[in-house]
Amino acid sequence: MNWFKSKPKLSISLGILAAMLFILIFMAFKPFALHTTFTVNPAQNYEEAIDRVESIQSEEAALDLHPECTTHVQTHDQKTDKVIVFFHGFTSCPAQFVELGQKFFEQGY
């Protein structure tokens, strides 16, 4: 207690730093709201799902994207009981899922 009284400038600086740290931590864990509303619209069948993917791929073809960073599909050419969709963040691309995706594909997904 005496230490804080003997060094008031340092105490104030540490208090401000602690408050800023608290605010940053609070902001990091505070949920954010999306400004876009999404609606669920699943494909009605395998053919429609593949058509949607091909539409996405044709839109991507018009963009200047690295080939590894475009939409990839591994398909058994028919509907399966199990499907996995991998989503990546803004700082990565689908290439990060190639090996994992292949493992699931080999298991029938």
Side-chain angles (χ1 to χ4, degrees):
M1 192 78 155
N2 286 337
W3 184 83
F4 288 107
K5 288 181 181 178
S6 67
K7 305 206 187 267
K9 288 183 182 180
L10 182 60
S11 298
I12 292 170
S13 297
L14 288 174
I16 291 171
L17 183 63
M20 289 173 52
L21 186 61
F22 175 79
I23 290 169
L24 286 174
I25 291 172
F26 176 77
M27 289 174 60
F29 291 104
K30 181 181 178 227
F32 62 92
L34 296 175
H35 298 289
T36 305
T37 302
F38 296 96
T39 57
V40 177
N41 186 17
Q44 298 302 308
N45 53 49
Y46 173 80
E47 290 76 19
E48 183 182 345
I50 294 301
D51 287 344
R52 288 184 185 187
V53 170
E54 288 173 350
S55 174
I56 291 168
Q57 289 172 325
S58 68
E59 289 176 19
E60 290 175 343
L63 302 173
D64 186 27
L65 298 176
H66 189 282
E68 290 183 348
C69 295
T70 58
T71 298
H72 296 276
V73 174
Q74 289 182 302
T75 176
H76 295 282
D77 295 324
Q78 63 185 8
K79 181 179 178 180
T80 59
D81 292 332
K82 305 175 281 185
V83 175
I84 295 178
V85 177
F86 292 105
F87 289 95
H88 61 84
F90 290 113
T91 60
S92 190
C93 72
Q96 75 185 53
F97 298 117
V98 169
E99 291 180 37
L100 181 61
Q102 185 61 38
K103 297 283 184 196
F104 281 112
F105 181 75
E106 291 166 2
Q107 294 178 28
Y109 288 82

